[in-house]
Amino acid sequence: MADSRAATELINRISGDLGQASAEQLVAQLAAVGGKPEPVAAVLSLLEELNEVSEKVGRAAVEALPELARRAGLAPVVAWLNLGIVLVESSGASALKYFKESPRMLGVVEQPAARSAILAIGAELAEQDANVTLEYLRTAPLLLDVIPAEQLQPWLEVGVELTQIDVVVGLEYIRQLAAIAPVLPLSEVRGWVGFGMKLIQPNAIGNPDYLGTLEFLRTSPAILGDLEHAALRPKVLSLGAVLAEHSPESAIAWLAEAPALLRALASVEWQLKVVQYGGLIAERDAAATLAYLRRAPEIVAMIGVSPDAGVRFENWFKAGMEVLAYSVEGARAYFGLESQRSLASVEQALSGVPLRQVARTIKLFVQGLCGSDVQIQALPDTVTDIPARATVSADGRIIALPALLRKYQTYDENVRLYLVMAAHEAGHIECGTYRLTLGSLQDVVTAVCDRYGRGAQQPASLAALFRLYPHPRLMQDLWTVLEDARVEAHLQREYPGLQRDLQRVAGEAVTPRDPAHGLTVKELLVDCLLRLSTGESIESAVPRAVQGEVALLWSMCGPVLAPGVSAEEALRLVHAVYVRMEELLAPKAEMIQGDPVQDNPEELGVGPTGSEETGEPYRPMTNWVYRGEMNPEFISRDQAPGQQDMDAEGQAPGERVASGGGGSKEHSGNQKSSGGERHDSMSDVMGGGRALPAVVDELLALPVEERPLGKAAGAKGIRYPEWDVTIQDYRVQWCQVVEQPAESGSDDAVVAALTTHRSAVKSLRRFFESLRPPAFRRTAAQADGEDLDIDALVRRVAEQRAGMEGSDRIYVRHEKKERDVAVAFLVDVSGSTSRQLESGRRVIDIEKESLVLLCEALEAVGDQYAVYAYSGQGRAQVEFSIVKEFDEPLGRATAHRLGGLVPRQQNRDGAAIRHATAKLRACEARTKLLMLVSDGRPLDGDYKDDYSLEDTKAALREARQAGIDPFCVTIDAAADAYLRRMYGDVRFAVIDRVESLPARLPRIYQRLTT
């Protein structure tokens, strides 16, 4: 009876909102649920309780009942309403949202027990925070997939605590629980949250800004999940939290970069060590820590896997911590590998032999072999356990070798490998591999076209000729084997001292392909020929099944080993061997089956392969490590030797990088790696901040020519160091000097200067002509000579008559005497030279007039001279304009470039002085002079005050150490305050009246050179 009365009352209670039929149907479903307490009576009681607190919420609960029944059933209705009552007591708005959204949420959960668990946990949470409860219910279906229901409570308690700090942060934490739970254990979650809370920053009005924290909670789970080893994740977070105390920006950067940086380390042990050591730096400085973390993978890679690798790394790290103890800025530069001290420390930690340690030895060795001036260049990105293959440029002027060799355990063995690799490339230069032209091979081209039905073809390069064969890669491999064999035979014949090293390296390099992995007959034959070319016997190098064929082919190759064989004859022989191999393989084509191989024409740059035509695969051979990589594209139809200096990408030349002492170190341009893929060298233009190229390139750089930039005709980029007085060290590769011809302009200013100062020009020419020494100087009393010295002869006769022996120095010798002077004029054309004088003329106009008169004077005396102008904006763009080079005659082109000088931007004196010094060092002269003409102190953004003065002073000191006499002319009347400090021991002159510069500059030069 009671149940019937409760059912009637419930129908009456809810029919007003749902309608009579729906109410009756709903109550019937409730009665069918059964259980204790009786559901109909319990729902009636709970609805009345809700209504007492809020009629609006009670109505919302009634309206949600049909949806709950449809989606999740009515079994959890009592717990559902009970949770709503707890919520309404805390927040009516939250309760309304709950009754509106919860049927859909519960409907997503399939298991009835899981629904009950969700509601039970929600009821407990609701007593603490309504907002957290609501957010929890929204994410509960996902949470239960990753966190067991019985373990949810402690995870959610963290969210409750966060809402007490900030509701938005607490709710975001709840939203991200499903993402972070698979990544971190519960024990580490508070550390994760703590990291995020340290990213809170004050906003413009001083209130806390949680935007960084919210973004951290949203993005960090995916980042942490990208860390493969779970043990790393809390370490990364711990380090980030320490960083965040000093610099939230650095902490965010570390978290974002951590997966990529740590993946670059070979083992989890190295990863943990690098992160652990980072924590020691983070306690002192965030920027130094970030620099260390970004560079550590490169350092570890360079150290290698030797047994003492850990000790080497620790020594490098300890040296950096010593720097940190007295200079934060110094530590930032050290760990960022921006200072010379840090690179020296890395070099000590290296395993193997860096090229730059032996580059001079190799250069002299190569010059002795081939008799030409060859530059040694480092291949980029070549610090690997398997050495990259050496290359030689098409013009034979550059040999590129791996930046670091550590194939062997000992220093001497690695040096020997360097010498053998260099000798092999020098052999290609001496033997004229790339002096070959296709014009002399027209009969071979015709024969190939006729044999394979190619029609009339005129291939533009040797690679194009290879593409006419059915198997271009096979043809290229045969050419490589026989040309290398020709070169090595020549080296062993002409330089017996190399024979043993070549044979030893070749013997150690033999790694034939395994027939068990599937070889085609062509591949097997080429491998056999390769092994025979290094001196192996047929018995040891050739399987019995093909000994007859290989013996026949190798006998055909014999002439290539004879003295005097040319590159052309070798290529004709390659063609003959290819044709004969085709004939031999016809009956044996199925002898050894190879796995299908998809040819990739880009690997050799020879286009579609013949194997695609025949369906028979051919995999190119892997040459010995000590043999370089040959490029058939270098050989063209009518190319003269040395004509092809560089390709369209500027591949042949490298990029010169100056050393701390003012010299230069190389950076290679694009070269092919051992896999045949081209690697781009460092970006030519450094952006803001402290972007630097790879440490390998920085550390293993060598002297080499400048690299074309492609920005303007003739533009070249050269990087130089810069002295940083704050860290008392050079920042390596810190500035890029962009050298290019000065822009041409009108020569009116030059003509006007010559006209206005016509008499002064004549006077200067006469005066400077008088400084030219006589062609010959008469030297008396010589032991031999062209004429007799009458005075000495008379004296000898008199001495002999007096019984003395007398001197035999009775001749006169006429010795040639010349002035041997080279001078570089470096003129500041920064924006300040636009300053107008009382006469209405600008400073730069006076500078140009002075240079006109000085050029006339120097033409009269016959000294070597060059005129350069400099300006720029920022350390990546120090403009160095060529007005006149040393070997360039004075003429109309010079006049137009001189007339085209205009005030430009700022002046970074140190970089310009270093580049002018490098140019003077390349001059052959007994006396070298650098004259700097400036209108004020150096200024280029942050390059100012003490920093700029000390760097300029260091650059001038480097010039003196290089045997160059610098002299500075300043047209700044107020310069005394800084000149003596900036110029130090270097002589200088201050011209207080700019108008007097044209008259005084030639006189200053005269005093300096006589």
Side-chain angles (χ1 to χ4, degrees), residues 450-474:
D450 291 345
R451 181 178 179 86
Y452 302 113
R454 304 301 189 187
Q457 297 279 344
Q458 293 296 328
S461 67
L462 187 60
L465 173 59
F466 290 163
R467 285 195 288 270
L468 300 178
Y469 289 83
H471 295 279
R473 295 180 177 214
L474 171 61

Side-chain angles (χ1 to χ4, degrees), residues 136-440:
Y136 151 72
L137 291 170
R138 291 168 179 158
T139 59
L142 294 175
L143 283 177
L144 289 178
D145 289 339
V146 293
I147 305 175
E150 63 274 11
Q151 299 177 16
L152 260 178
Q153 189 64 31
W155 290 84
L156 296 171
E157 287 175 357
V158 177
V160 174
E161 294 173 13
L162 284 174
T163 55
Q164 295 173 3
I165 300 173
D166 183 83
V167 173
V168 176
V169 172
L171 297 183
E172 189 61 43
Y173 166 83
I174 298 297
R175 294 188 192 104
Q176 301 305 325
L177 270 182
I180 197 63
V183 176
L184 283 178
L186 177 62
S187 59
E188 303 295 343
V189 166
R190 291 186 181 274
W192 173 65
V193 172
F195 183 170
M197 297 304 288
K198 289 179 181 179
L199 302 178
I200 300 171
Q201 295 287 296
N203 58 21
I205 59 175
N207 293 329
D209 185 344
Y210 296 96
L211 185 60
T213 301
L214 293 173
E215 190 62 25
F216 168 83
L217 294 174
R218 292 167 188 152
T219 59
S220 59
I223 296 173
L224 292 171
D226 203 15
L227 295 170
E228 182 178 354
H229 299 284
L232 271 175
R233 295 165 189 162
K235 303 294 184 183
V236 167
L237 288 173
S238 177
L239 175 55
V242 177
L243 285 173
E245 293 177 358
H246 301 281
S247 169
E249 295 80 7
S250 296
I252 293 171
W254 157 238
L255 183 64
E257 298 174 31
L261 291 174
L262 295 176
R263 271 197 301 270
L265 295 165
S267 66
V268 67
E269 291 77 17
W270 268 115
Q271 293 170 349
L272 290 169
K273 176 177 284 192
V274 165
V275 175
Q276 178 188 355
Y277 286 9
L280 300 177
I281 311 173
E283 295 173 358
R284 294 287 307 278
D285 184 69
T289 308
L290 202 55
Y292 156 81
L293 292 167
R294 287 169 172 166
R295 288 303 200 183
E298 294 175 280
I299 300 297
V300 173
M302 294 179 70
I303 290 174
V305 293
S306 60
D308 61 344
V311 175
R312 290 171 180 265
F313 181 81
E314 287 172 8
N315 290 338
W316 171 79
F317 179 80
K318 288 177 182 176
M321 294 300 289
E322 291 173 2
V323 175
L324 180 60
Y326 66 82
S327 171
V328 170
E329 276 296 325
R332 292 173 181 175
Y334 180 93
F335 288 116
L337 300 179
E338 295 169 357
S339 68
Q340 201 169 57
R341 183 183 295 115
S342 66
L343 292 187
S345 182
V346 172
E347 190 168 13
Q348 289 180 352
L350 282 177
S351 61
V353 180
L355 177 58
R356 76 172 188 173
Q357 285 186 1
V358 294
R360 179 167 175 77
T361 300
I362 294 174
K363 179 180 176 71
L364 295 175
F365 174 70
V366 169
Q367 288 177 347
L369 290 179
C370 60
S372 57
D373 185 13
V374 176
Q375 294 174 354
I376 303 300
Q377 174 174 303
L379 291 164
D381 303 325
T382 54
V383 180
T384 59
D385 291 328
I386 301 175
R389 301 195 180 279
T391 63
V392 60
S393 62
D395 57 16
R397 293 189 297 195
I398 297 174
I399 291 177
L401 298 168
L404 180 73
L405 276 185
R406 55 184 180 207
K407 179 176 174 59
Y408 299 103
Q409 292 295 319
T410 68
Y411 179 92
D412 290 341
E413 286 178 311
N414 284 310
V415 172
R416 183 195 68 196
L417 179 56
Y418 261 135
L419 292 174
V420 169
M421 295 172 84
H424 191 84
E425 301 313 300
H428 281 294
I429 298 172
E430 186 179 0
C431 294
T433 296
Y434 296 120
R435 290 198 296 270
L436 175 66
T437 62
L438 294 186
S440 60

